Amino acid sequence: MNKFFIQSGAVLAGLSVALGAFGAHAFKVALEATNRTETFETAAHYQMYGGLALILVGILTDKISHKFLSWAGNAFLIGTVIFSGSLYLICATGVTMWGAVAPIGGTSLMIGWVLFLVGVSKKS
């Protein structure tokens, strides 16, 4: 069991709930005024997915010992922070240039899933 991935996943998942609630209530008027509600929701959703993926990786490392599984966890963590973070920054600052950063995070998340597949498919 990889406690770092489980703890990181729990933090990301918990923060996604808190940020989602913030976006739906306290930040709602500002998001609607800038037409960024959907962007904020996408950030919160992908942050939750990344958090759950990290928890899964953390649990599976106890059963499957493969370096690709650890690499997948790192890719999920980096990808989630970059992808969701860039979307949150767009919503908070109005600077749409952050949208150019989002594909880096999305690519890292996709790489994470490929690494996850390889890691759970190979024998250690």
Side-chain angles (χ1 to χ4, degrees), residues 43-104:
H45 287 145
Y46 275 84
Q47 184 176 338
M48 177 61 79
Y49 303 148
L52 294 175
L54 278 166
I55 292 168
L56 178 62
V57 167
I59 292 169
L60 285 178
T61 56
D62 196 34
K63 302 272 185 208
I64 302 167
S65 177
H66 196 280
K67 64 184 174 187
F68 281 21
L69 201 53
S70 291
W71 292 354
N74 289 321
F76 288 142
L77 180 57
I78 292 166
T80 302
V81 169
I82 293 172
F83 182 78
S84 292
S86 65
L87 296 183
Y88 288 134
L89 282 169
I90 291 169
C91 295
T93 66
V95 178
T96 57
M97 186 174 68
W98 287 110
V101 177
I104 297 167

Side-chain angles (χ1 to χ4, degrees), residues 33-50:
T34 59
N35 206 21
R36 291 287 178 205
T37 304
E38 189 175 315
T39 303
F40 198 89
E41 288 175 354
T42 299
H45 287 145
Y46 275 84
Q47 184 176 338
M48 177 61 79
Y49 303 148

Side-chain angles (χ1 to χ4, degrees), residues 57 60 64-73 76 109-124:
V57 167
L60 285 178
I64 302 167
S65 177
H66 196 280
K67 64 184 174 187
F68 281 21
L69 201 53
S70 291
W71 292 354
F76 288 142
L109 289 168
M110 290 185 278
I111 289 169
W113 285 113
V114 171
L115 291 168
F116 180 86
L117 175 64
V118 174
V120 298
S121 299
K122 295 230 178 218
K123 294 190 182 216
S124 50

